[in-house]
Amino acid sequence: IFRQTRVGRYGREFPMFKFRTMRTDAEKNSGPVWARSGQAGVTRVGRLLRRTSLDELPQFFNVLFGQMSVVGPRPERPFYTDRFRQLLPRYGERHLVCPGITGWAQINMMRALQPTAVAEKLSYDLFYLEHWSIFLDVTILVKTAFEFLFQRPV
């Protein structure tokens, strides 16, 4: 398990827990790198953890600590949050709620996104914020469970 700084509710940074899937020196020379399918530096066990989304399990500790919820926009690293705020005027609105382990964007988009898809992801996050309901959260949880059980391809 390792901690990675992410941006949460009201723009506050918090340590997000994950199972390590990459070598410890994977970003030593490059700095922050956007996660993608087939990424160099991912360990064999890490590939399995990512494919099954089991690397996200430690985030339930973040839920217990009140830093995350089960459903909400996925938290980003500060490096990317700063860049996206400059490019997308409404990006900061996604920080009005607790970030989630799963969300509307995650069930409606491919798992391995490119940074160029951030505007589309933001539109899903804003839809979630504007249409939040218990029913929407339950829908997201059910679809996430189906994706987990039936392994939607990356």
Side-chain angles (χ1 to χ4, degrees), residues 52-110:
T52 59
S53 297
L54 291 174
D55 61 323
E56 311 294 348
L57 279 178
Q59 292 167 32
F60 282 102
F61 287 113
N62 293 109
V63 173
L64 291 173
F65 298 149
Q67 300 160 323
M68 290 180 71
S69 63
V70 177
V71 178
R74 288 289 299 157
E76 287 294 347
R77 296 167 73 178
F79 174 83
Y80 292 111
T81 297
D82 293 341
R83 288 178 57 192
F84 299 152
R85 277 189 179 141
Q86 293 173 359
L87 296 172
L88 304 163
R90 295 187 65 194
Y91 190 81
E93 291 178 38
R94 63 193 307 279
H95 297 117
L96 294 173
V97 297
C98 276
I101 295 173
T102 187
W104 189 242
Q106 284 64 46
I107 63 168
N108 286 292
M109 298 181 72
M110 291 178 50

Side-chain angles (χ1 to χ4, degrees), residues 3-22:
R3 292 182 286 173
Q4 188 176 64
T5 302
R6 297 293 177 114
V7 178
R9 190 172 191 185
Y10 305 128
R12 292 187 192 118
E13 293 183 5
F14 69 96
M16 186 173 81
F17 300 105
K18 293 188 83 157
F19 283 126
R20 182 170 294 284
T21 59
M22 297 185 69

